[in-house]
Coordinates of all heavy atoms in Angstrom, one line a residue:
M897 N -6.9 -77.6 -10.9 CA -7.9 -78.2 -9.9 C -7.3 -78.3 -8.5 O -8.0 -78.1 -7.6 CB -8.2 -79.6 -10.4 CG -9.1 -80.3 -9.5 SD -10.2 -81.4 -10.4 CE -10.9 -82.3 -9.1
L898 N -6.0 -78.5 -8.4 CA -5.3 -78.6 -7.1 C -5.4 -77.2 -6.4 O -5.6 -77.2 -5.2 CB -3.9 -79.0 -7.2 CG -3.7 -80.5 -7.7 CD1 -2.2 -80.8 -7.8 CD2 -4.3 -81.4 -6.7
F899 N -5.3 -76.2 -7.2 CA -5.4 -74.8 -6.7 C -6.7 -74.6 -6.1 O -6.9 -74.1 -5.0 CB -5.1 -73.8 -7.8 CG -5.1 -72.4 -7.3 CD1 -4.1 -71.9 -6.5 CD2 -6.2 -71.5 -7.6 CE1 -4.1 -70.6 -6.1 CE2 -6.2 -70.2 -7.1 CZ -5.2 -69.8 -6.4
A900 N -7.8 -75.0 -6.7 CA -9.2 -74.9 -6.2 C -9.3 -75.6 -4.9 O -10.0 -75.1 -4.0 CB -10.2 -75.3 -7.3
L901 N -8.8 -76.8 -4.9 CA -8.9 -77.6 -3.6 C -8.1 -76.9 -2.5 O -8.6 -76.9 -1.3 CB -8.3 -79.0 -3.8 CG -9.2 -80.0 -4.6 CD1 -8.4 -81.3 -4.9 CD2 -10.5 -80.3 -3.9
A902 N -7.0 -76.4 -2.8 CA -6.2 -75.7 -1.7 C -6.9 -74.5 -1.2 O -7.0 -74.3 0.0 CB -4.8 -75.3 -2.3
I903 N -7.6 -73.8 -2.1 CA -8.3 -72.6 -1.7 C -9.5 -73.0 -0.8 O -9.8 -72.5 0.2 CB -8.8 -71.8 -2.9 CG1 -7.6 -71.2 -3.7 CG2 -9.8 -70.7 -2.5 CD1 -6.8 -70.2 -2.9
R904 N -10.2 -74.1 -1.3 CA -11.4 -74.5 -0.6 C -11.1 -74.9 0.8 O -11.9 -74.7 1.8 CB -12.1 -75.7 -1.4 CG -13.4 -76.2 -0.7 CD -14.2 -77.1 -1.6 NE -14.6 -76.5 -2.7 CZ -15.8 -75.9 -2.9 NH1 -16.6 -75.9 -1.8 NH2 -16.2 -75.4 -4.0
F905 N -10.0 -75.6 1.0 CA -9.6 -76.1 2.3 C -8.6 -75.2 3.1 O -8.1 -75.6 4.1 CB -9.1 -77.5 2.2 CG -10.1 -78.5 1.8 CD1 -10.2 -79.0 0.5 CD2 -11.1 -79.0 2.7 CE1 -11.2 -79.9 0.1 CE2 -12.0 -79.8 2.4 CZ -12.1 -80.3 1.1
N906 N -8.4 -74.0 2.5 CA -7.6 -73.0 3.2 C -6.2 -73.5 3.4 O -5.6 -73.3 4.5 CB -8.2 -72.5 4.5 CG -7.6 -71.1 4.9 OD1 -7.1 -70.4 4.0 ND2 -7.7 -70.8 6.1
A907 N -5.7 -74.3 2.5 CA -4.3 -74.9 2.6 C -3.3 -73.9 2.0 O -3.6 -73.1 1.1 CB -4.3 -76.2 1.8
S908 N -2.1 -73.9 2.5 CA -1.0 -73.1 2.0 C -0.6 -73.6 0.6 O -0.6 -74.8 0.3 CB 0.2 -73.1 2.9 OG -0.2 -72.6 4.2
I909 N -0.2 -72.7 -0.2 CA 0.3 -73.0 -1.6 C 1.7 -72.4 -1.7 O 1.9 -71.2 -1.5 CB -0.6 -72.4 -2.7 CG1 -2.0 -73.0 -2.5 CG2 0.0 -72.8 -4.1 CD1 -3.0 -72.3 -3.4
Y910 N 2.7 -73.3 -2.0 CA 4.1 -72.8 -2.1 C 4.5 -72.9 -3.5 O 4.3 -73.9 -4.2 CB 5.0 -73.7 -1.2 CG 4.6 -73.6 0.2 CD1 3.8 -74.6 0.8 CD2 5.1 -72.6 1.0 CE1 3.5 -74.5 2.2 CE2 4.7 -72.5 2.4 CZ 3.9 -73.5 2.9 OH 3.6 -73.4 4.3
V911 N 5.1 -71.8 -4.0 CA 5.5 -71.7 -5.4 C 6.9 -71.0 -5.4 O 7.1 -70.0 -4.7 CB 4.5 -70.8 -6.2 CG1 5.0 -70.8 -7.7 CG2 3.1 -71.4 -6.1
A912 N 7.8 -71.5 -6.3 CA 9.1 -70.9 -6.4 C 9.0 -69.4 -6.9 O 8.1 -69.2 -7.8 CB 10.0 -71.7 -7.3
D913 N 9.8 -68.5 -6.5 CA 9.8 -67.2 -7.0 C 9.9 -67.1 -8.5 O 9.3 -66.2 -9.1 CB 10.9 -66.3 -6.3 CG 10.6 -66.1 -4.8 OD1 9.4 -66.1 -4.4 OD2 11.6 -65.8 -4.1
S914 N 10.8 -68.0 -9.0 CA 11.0 -67.9 -10.5 C 9.7 -68.2 -11.3 O 9.5 -67.6 -12.3 CB 12.1 -68.9 -10.9 OG 11.7 -70.2 -10.5
I915 N 8.8 -69.1 -10.7 CA 7.6 -69.4 -11.4 C 6.6 -68.2 -11.3 O 6.0 -67.8 -12.3 CB 6.9 -70.6 -10.7 CG1 7.7 -71.8 -10.7 CG2 5.5 -70.9 -11.3 CD1 8.0 -72.4 -12.1
L916 N 6.6 -67.5 -10.1 CA 5.7 -66.3 -10.0 C 6.2 -65.2 -10.9 O 5.4 -64.5 -11.5 CB 5.7 -65.9 -8.6 CG 5.0 -66.7 -7.6 CD1 5.1 -66.2 -6.2 CD2 3.5 -66.9 -7.9
E917 N 7.5 -65.1 -11.0 CA 8.1 -64.1 -11.9 C 7.7 -64.3 -13.3 O 7.3 -63.4 -14.1 CB 9.7 -64.1 -11.8 CG 10.4 -63.0 -12.5 CD 10.4 -61.7 -11.8 OE1 10.2 -61.7 -10.6 OE2 10.5 -60.7 -12.6
E918 N 7.8 -65.6 -13.8 CA 7.5 -65.9 -15.1 C 6.0 -65.8 -15.4 O 5.6 -65.3 -16.5 CB 7.9 -67.4 -15.4 CG 7.7 -67.8 -16.9 CD 8.3 -69.2 -17.1 OE1 9.3 -69.6 -16.5 OE2 7.6 -69.9 -17.8
A919 N 5.2 -66.1 -14.4 CA 3.7 -66.0 -14.6 C 3.2 -64.6 -14.5 O 2.1 -64.3 -14.9 CB 3.0 -66.9 -13.6
G920 N 4.0 -63.7 -13.9 CA 3.6 -62.3 -13.8 C 2.7 -62.1 -12.6 O 1.9 -61.1 -12.6
I921 N 2.7 -62.9 -11.6 CA 1.8 -62.8 -10.5 C 2.6 -62.0 -9.4 O 3.7 -62.3 -9.1 CB 1.5 -64.2 -9.9 CG1 0.7 -65.0 -11.0 CG2 0.7 -64.1 -8.6 CD1 0.4 -66.4 -10.7
I922 N 1.9 -61.1 -8.8 CA 2.5 -60.2 -7.8 C 2.3 -60.9 -6.4 O 1.2 -61.2 -6.1 CB 1.8 -58.8 -7.8 CG1 2.1 -58.1 -9.1 CG2 2.4 -58.0 -6.6 CD1 1.3 -56.9 -9.3
S923 N 3.4 -61.1 -5.7 CA 3.3 -61.7 -4.4 C 2.8 -60.7 -3.4 O 2.8 -59.5 -3.6 CB 4.7 -62.3 -4.0 OG 5.6 -61.2 -3.7
E924 N 2.4 -61.2 -2.2 CA 1.8 -60.4 -1.2 C 2.9 -59.3 -0.8 O 2.5 -58.2 -0.5 CB 1.3 -61.2 0.0 CG 0.1 -61.9 -0.3 CD -0.4 -62.8 0.9 OE1 0.1 -62.5 2.0 OE2 -1.3 -63.6 0.7
S925 N 4.1 -59.7 -0.7 CA 5.2 -58.8 -0.2 C 5.4 -57.7 -1.3 O 5.8 -56.6 -0.9 CB 6.5 -59.6 0.0 OG 6.9 -60.1 -1.2
E926 N 5.1 -57.9 -2.5 CA 5.3 -56.9 -3.6 C 4.1 -56.1 -3.9 O 4.1 -55.2 -4.6 CB 5.8 -57.6 -4.9 CG 7.1 -58.2 -4.8 CD 7.5 -59.0 -6.0 OE1 6.5 -59.3 -6.8 OE2 8.6 -59.3 -6.2
E927 N 3.0 -56.5 -3.3 CA 1.7 -56.0 -3.6 C 1.6 -54.5 -3.6 O 1.1 -53.8 -4.4 CB 0.6 -56.6 -2.7 CG -0.8 -56.6 -3.4 CD -1.7 -57.5 -2.6 OE1 -1.6 -58.7 -2.7 OE2 -2.5 -56.9 -1.9
G928 N 2.1 -53.9 -2.5 CA 2.1 -52.4 -2.4 C 3.0 -51.7 -3.3 O 2.8 -50.5 -3.7
E929 N 4.0 -52.4 -3.8 CA 5.0 -51.7 -4.7 C 4.6 -51.5 -6.1 O 4.7 -50.4 -6.6 CB 6.3 -52.6 -4.7 CG 7.0 -52.8 -3.4 CD 8.1 -53.8 -3.4 OE1 8.5 -54.2 -4.5 OE2 8.5 -54.2 -2.3
G930 N 3.9 -52.5 -6.7 CA 3.6 -52.3 -8.1 C 2.2 -52.7 -8.5 O 1.9 -53.1 -9.6
D931 N 1.3 -52.7 -7.5 CA -0.1 -53.1 -7.7 C -0.8 -52.2 -8.6 O -1.0 -51.0 -8.3 CB -0.8 -53.2 -6.3 CG -2.1 -53.9 -6.4 OD1 -2.4 -54.4 -7.5 OD2 -2.8 -53.9 -5.4
L932 N -1.3 -52.7 -9.7 CA -2.0 -51.8 -10.7 C -3.4 -51.4 -10.2 O -3.9 -50.3 -10.6 CB -2.2 -52.6 -12.0 CG -0.9 -53.0 -12.8 CD1 -1.3 -53.8 -14.0 CD2 -0.2 -51.7 -13.1
S933 N -4.0 -52.2 -9.3 CA -5.3 -51.8 -8.8 C -5.2 -50.5 -8.0 O -6.2 -49.8 -7.8 CB -5.9 -52.9 -8.0 OG -5.1 -53.2 -6.8
S934 N -4.0 -50.2 -7.4 CA -3.9 -49.0 -6.6 C -3.8 -47.7 -7.5 O -4.0 -46.6 -7.1 CB -2.6 -49.0 -5.8 OG -1.5 -49.1 -6.6
L935 N -3.6 -47.9 -8.8 CA -3.6 -46.8 -9.8 C -5.0 -46.3 -10.1 O -5.2 -45.2 -10.6 CB -2.9 -47.2 -11.0 CG -1.4 -47.6 -10.9 CD1 -0.8 -48.0 -12.2 CD2 -0.6 -46.4 -10.3
R936 N -6.0 -47.2 -9.9 CA -7.4 -46.8 -10.2 C -7.8 -45.7 -9.2 O -7.6 -45.7 -8.0 CB -8.3 -48.0 -10.0 CG -8.3 -48.9 -11.1 CD -9.4 -49.9 -10.9 NE -8.8 -51.2 -11.1 CZ -8.9 -52.3 -10.3 NH1 -9.6 -52.2 -9.2 NH2 -8.4 -53.4 -10.6
E937 N -8.4 -44.7 -9.8 CA -9.0 -43.6 -8.9 C -10.4 -44.0 -8.5 O -11.2 -44.3 -9.3 CB -9.0 -42.3 -9.7 CG -7.6 -41.7 -10.0 CD -7.7 -40.4 -10.6 OE1 -8.7 -39.6 -10.4 OE2 -6.7 -40.0 -11.4
E938 N -10.6 -44.0 -7.2 CA -11.9 -44.3 -6.7 C -12.5 -43.1 -6.0 O -11.8 -42.4 -5.3 CB -11.8 -45.5 -5.7 CG -11.5 -46.8 -6.4 CD -11.6 -48.0 -5.5 OE1 -12.3 -47.9 -4.5 OE2 -11.1 -49.0 -5.9
K939 N -13.8 -42.9 -6.2 CA -14.4 -41.8 -5.5 C -14.6 -42.2 -4.0 O -14.6 -43.4 -3.7 CB -15.9 -41.6 -6.1 CG -15.9 -41.3 -7.5 CD -17.3 -41.2 -8.0 CE -17.4 -41.1 -9.5 NZ -18.8 -41.1 -9.9
P940 N -14.7 -41.2 -3.1 CA -15.0 -41.5 -1.7 C -16.3 -42.3 -1.7 O -17.2 -42.1 -2.5 CB -15.1 -40.1 -1.1 CG -14.4 -39.2 -2.0 CD -14.5 -39.8 -3.4
A941 N -16.4 -43.1 -0.7 CA -17.6 -44.0 -0.5 C -18.9 -43.2 -0.5 O -19.9 -43.7 -1.0 CB -17.5 -44.9 0.7
S942 N -18.9 -42.0 0.1 CA -20.1 -41.2 0.2 C -20.6 -40.8 -1.2 O -21.8 -40.5 -1.3 CB -19.9 -40.0 1.1 OG -18.9 -39.2 0.6
E943 N -19.7 -40.6 -2.2 CA -20.1 -40.2 -3.5 C -20.5 -41.3 -4.4 O -21.0 -41.0 -5.5 CB -19.0 -39.3 -4.1 CG -18.7 -38.1 -3.4 CD -17.5 -37.3 -4.0 OE1 -17.3 -37.5 -5.2 OE2 -16.9 -36.5 -3.3
M944 N -20.3 -42.5 -4.1 CA -20.5 -43.6 -4.9 C -21.9 -44.1 -4.9 O -22.5 -44.1 -3.8 CB -19.6 -44.8 -4.6 CG -18.1 -44.5 -4.8 SD -17.1 -45.9 -4.2 CE -17.4 -47.1 -5.4
T945 N -22.5 -44.4 -6.1 CA -23.8 -44.9 -6.1 C -23.8 -46.4 -5.7 O -22.7 -47.0 -5.7 CB -24.4 -44.8 -7.5 OG1 -23.7 -45.7 -8.4 CG2 -24.4 -43.4 -8.0
R946 N -25.0 -47.0 -5.5 CA -25.1 -48.4 -5.1 C -24.5 -49.2 -6.2 O -23.8 -50.2 -6.0 CB -26.5 -48.8 -4.8 CG -26.7 -50.2 -4.5 CD -28.1 -50.5 -3.9 NE -28.5 -51.8 -3.8 CZ -27.9 -52.8 -3.1 NH1 -26.8 -52.5 -2.4 NH2 -28.4 -54.0 -3.2
L947 N -24.8 -48.9 -7.5 CA -24.3 -49.6 -8.6 C -22.8 -49.6 -8.7 O -22.1 -50.6 -8.9 CB -24.9 -49.1 -9.9 CG -24.5 -49.8 -11.2 CD1 -24.9 -51.3 -11.2 CD2 -25.2 -49.1 -12.4
E948 N -22.2 -48.4 -8.5 CA -20.7 -48.3 -8.5 C -20.1 -49.1 -7.4 O -19.1 -49.8 -7.6 CB -20.3 -46.8 -8.3 CG -20.6 -46.0 -9.6 CD -20.3 -44.5 -9.3 OE1 -20.6 -44.0 -8.2 OE2 -19.9 -43.9 -10.3
K949 N -20.7 -49.1 -6.2 CA -20.2 -50.0 -5.1 C -20.2 -51.4 -5.5 O -19.3 -52.2 -5.2 CB -21.0 -49.7 -3.8 CG -20.8 -48.4 -3.2 CD -21.6 -48.2 -2.0 CE -21.5 -46.8 -1.5 NZ -22.4 -46.5 -0.3
L950 N -21.3 -51.9 -6.0 CA -21.5 -53.3 -6.4 C -20.4 -53.6 -7.5 O -19.9 -54.7 -7.5 CB -22.9 -53.6 -6.9 CG -24.0 -53.6 -5.8 CD1 -25.3 -53.7 -6.5 CD2 -23.7 -54.7 -4.8
E951 N -20.2 -52.7 -8.5 CA -19.3 -53.0 -9.5 C -17.9 -53.1 -9.0 O -17.1 -53.9 -9.4 CB -19.4 -52.0 -10.6 CG -20.6 -52.1 -11.5 CD -20.9 -51.0 -12.5 OE1 -20.3 -49.9 -12.3 OE2 -21.6 -51.3 -13.4
N952 N -17.5 -52.3 -8.0 CA -16.2 -52.3 -7.4 C -16.0 -53.6 -6.6 O -15.0 -54.3 -6.6 CB -16.0 -51.1 -6.4 CG -15.7 -49.9 -7.2 OD1 -15.3 -49.9 -8.3 ND2 -15.8 -48.7 -6.5
E953 N -17.1 -54.0 -5.9 CA -17.1 -55.3 -5.1 C -16.9 -56.5 -6.1 O -16.2 -57.4 -5.8 CB -18.3 -55.5 -4.3 CG -18.4 -54.6 -3.1 CD -19.6 -54.9 -2.2 OE1 -20.0 -56.1 -2.1 OE2 -20.2 -53.9 -1.8
L954 N -17.6 -56.4 -7.2 CA -17.5 -57.4 -8.2 C -16.1 -57.6 -8.7 O -15.5 -58.7 -8.8 CB -18.5 -57.2 -9.4 CG -18.4 -58.1 -10.6 CD1 -18.7 -59.5 -10.2 CD2 -19.3 -57.7 -11.7
Q955 N -15.4 -56.4 -9.0 CA -14.1 -56.5 -9.5 C -13.1 -57.1 -8.5 O -12.3 -57.9 -8.8 CB -13.6 -55.0 -9.9 CG -12.3 -55.0 -10.5 CD -12.2 -55.7 -11.9 OE1 -13.2 -55.7 -12.6 NE2 -11.1 -56.4 -12.1
T956 N -13.3 -56.7 -7.2 CA -12.5 -57.3 -6.1 C -12.7 -58.8 -6.0 O -11.8 -59.5 -5.9 CB -12.8 -56.6 -4.8 OG1 -12.6 -55.2 -5.0 CG2 -12.0 -57.1 -3.7
A957 N -14.0 -59.2 -6.1 CA -14.3 -60.6 -6.0 C -13.6 -61.4 -7.1 O -13.1 -62.5 -6.9 CB -15.8 -60.8 -6.0
I958 N -13.6 -60.8 -8.3 CA -13.0 -61.5 -9.5 C -11.5 -61.5 -9.3 O -10.8 -62.6 -9.5 CB -13.3 -60.8 -10.8 CG1 -14.8 -61.0 -11.1 CG2 -12.5 -61.3 -11.9 CD1 -15.3 -60.1 -12.2
E959 N -10.9 -60.4 -8.8 CA -9.4 -60.4 -8.6 C -9.0 -61.4 -7.5 O -7.9 -61.9 -7.6 CB -9.0 -59.0 -8.2 CG -9.1 -58.0 -9.4 CD -8.8 -56.6 -9.0 OE1 -8.7 -56.3 -7.8 OE2 -8.8 -55.7 -9.9
T960 N -9.8 -61.6 -6.5 CA -9.5 -62.5 -5.5 C -10.0 -63.9 -5.7 O -9.9 -64.8 -4.9 CB -10.0 -62.0 -4.1 OG1 -11.4 -61.9 -4.2 CG2 -9.4 -60.7 -3.7
E961 N -10.5 -64.1 -6.9 CA -11.0 -65.4 -7.4 C -12.2 -66.0 -6.5 O -12.3 -67.2 -6.3 CB -9.9 -66.4 -7.5 CG -8.9 -66.0 -8.6 CD -7.7 -67.0 -8.7 OE1 -7.8 -68.1 -8.1 OE2 -6.8 -66.7 -9.5
N962 N -13.0 -65.1 -5.9 CA -14.2 -65.4 -5.2 C -15.3 -65.5 -6.1 O -16.1 -64.5 -6.1 CB -14.4 -64.5 -4.0 CG -15.4 -64.9 -3.1 OD1 -16.2 -65.8 -3.3 ND2 -15.5 -64.2 -1.9
Y963 N -15.4 -66.5 -6.9 CA -16.4 -66.6 -8.0 C -17.8 -66.7 -7.5 O -18.8 -66.3 -8.2 CB -16.0 -67.7 -9.0 CG -14.6 -67.4 -9.6 CD1 -13.6 -68.3 -9.4 CD2 -14.4 -66.2 -10.3 CE1 -12.3 -68.0 -10.0 CE2 -13.1 -65.9 -10.8 CZ -12.1 -66.8 -10.6 OH -10.9 -66.6 -11.1
E964 N -18.1 -67.3 -6.4 CA -19.4 -67.4 -5.9 C -20.0 -66.0 -5.6 O -21.1 -65.7 -5.9 CB -19.5 -68.3 -4.7 CG -19.2 -69.8 -5.0 CD -19.2 -70.7 -3.8 OE1 -19.7 -70.2 -2.7 OE2 -18.7 -71.8 -3.9
K965 N -19.2 -65.2 -4.9 CA -19.6 -63.9 -4.5 C -19.7 -63.1 -5.8 O -20.7 -62.3 -6.0 CB -18.5 -63.2 -3.6 CG -18.9 -61.8 -3.2 CD -17.9 -61.3 -2.2 CE -18.3 -59.9 -1.8 NZ -17.4 -59.3 -0.8
A966 N -18.8 -63.3 -6.8 CA -18.9 -62.5 -8.0 C -20.2 -62.8 -8.8 O -20.8 -61.9 -9.3 CB -17.7 -62.9 -8.9
A967 N -20.6 -64.1 -8.8 CA -21.9 -64.4 -9.4 C -23.0 -63.8 -8.8 O -23.9 -63.2 -9.5 CB -22.0 -65.9 -9.4
R968 N -23.1 -63.7 -7.4 CA -24.2 -63.1 -6.7 C -24.2 -61.6 -7.0 O -25.2 -61.0 -7.3 CB -24.0 -63.3 -5.2 CG -24.4 -64.7 -4.8 CD -24.6 -64.7 -3.3 NE -23.4 -64.3 -2.5 CZ -22.4 -65.1 -2.2 NH1 -22.4 -66.3 -2.5 NH2 -21.4 -64.6 -1.5
L969 N -23.0 -60.9 -7.0 CA -22.9 -59.5 -7.3 C -23.3 -59.2 -8.8 O -24.0 -58.3 -9.0 CB -21.5 -59.0 -7.1 CG -21.1 -59.0 -5.6 CD1 -19.6 -58.8 -5.5 CD2 -21.8 -57.9 -4.9
R970 N -22.9 -60.1 -9.7 CA -23.3 -59.9 -11.1 C -24.8 -59.9 -11.3 O -25.4 -59.1 -11.9 CB -22.7 -61.0 -11.9 CG -23.0 -61.0 -13.4 CD -22.9 -62.4 -14.1 NE -23.8 -63.3 -13.4 CZ -23.6 -64.6 -13.3 NH1 -22.5 -65.1 -13.8 NH2 -24.4 -65.4 -12.7
D971 N -25.4 -60.9 -10.6 CA -26.9 -61.0 -10.6 C -27.6 -59.7 -10.0 O -28.6 -59.2 -10.6 CB -27.4 -62.2 -9.9 CG -27.0 -63.5 -10.6 OD1 -26.6 -63.4 -11.8 OD2 -27.0 -64.6 -10.0
E972 N -27.0 -59.2 -9.0 CA -27.6 -58.0 -8.3 C -27.4 -56.8 -9.2 O -28.3 -56.0 -9.3 CB -27.0 -57.8 -7.0 CG -27.7 -56.9 -6.1 CD -27.2 -56.9 -4.7 OE1 -26.6 -57.9 -4.2 OE2 -27.5 -55.9 -4.0
I973 N -26.3 -56.7 -9.9 CA -26.0 -55.6 -10.8 C -27.0 -55.7 -12.0 O -27.6 -54.7 -12.4 CB -24.6 -55.6 -11.3 CG1 -23.6 -55.2 -10.1 CG2 -24.4 -54.7 -12.5 CD1 -22.2 -55.5 -10.4
K974 N -27.2 -56.9 -12.5 CA -28.2 -57.1 -13.6 C -29.6 -56.6 -13.2 O -30.3 -56.0 -14.0 CB -28.3 -58.5 -14.1 CG -27.1 -58.9 -14.9 CD -27.3 -60.4 -15.4 CE -26.1 -60.8 -16.3 NZ -26.3 -62.2 -16.8
K975 N -30.0 -56.9 -12.0 CA -31.3 -56.5 -11.5 C -31.4 -55.0 -11.4 O -32.4 -54.4 -11.8 CB -31.6 -57.0 -10.1 CG -31.9 -58.5 -10.1 CD -32.1 -59.0 -8.7 CE -32.3 -60.5 -8.6 NZ -32.4 -61.0 -7.2
L976 N -30.3 -54.3 -10.9 CA -30.3 -52.8 -10.9 C -30.4 -52.2 -12.2 O -31.0 -51.2 -12.4 CB -29.1 -52.4 -10.1 CG -29.1 -52.5 -8.6 CD1 -27.8 -52.1 -8.0 CD2 -30.3 -51.8 -8.0
K977 N -29.6 -52.8 -13.2 CA -29.6 -52.2 -14.5 C -30.9 -52.5 -15.3 O -31.3 -51.8 -16.2 CB -28.4 -52.7 -15.3 CG -27.1 -52.2 -14.8 CD -26.0 -52.7 -15.7 CE -24.6 -52.0 -15.3 NZ -23.5 -52.5 -16.1
G978 N -31.6 -53.5 -14.8 CA -32.9 -53.9 -15.2 C -33.3 -54.0 -16.6 O -34.1 -54.0 -17.3

């Protein structure tokens, strides 16, 4: 719950490196080094369908814990799949 409040109010969150190591969370400084999302092959934007774009945005919203945006995207995807 404290994490949600910190995010809502754009407050800084400080965590010891040992905790992040144990939790398996990649810090911003390590993001480019071992980020699994960079291993995904993505088509150029011009070749992607609207549905594929929305699904990619949904995945990004989930990864960044932007659940309000994720819910809107999920609903839009459901409409397209009809």
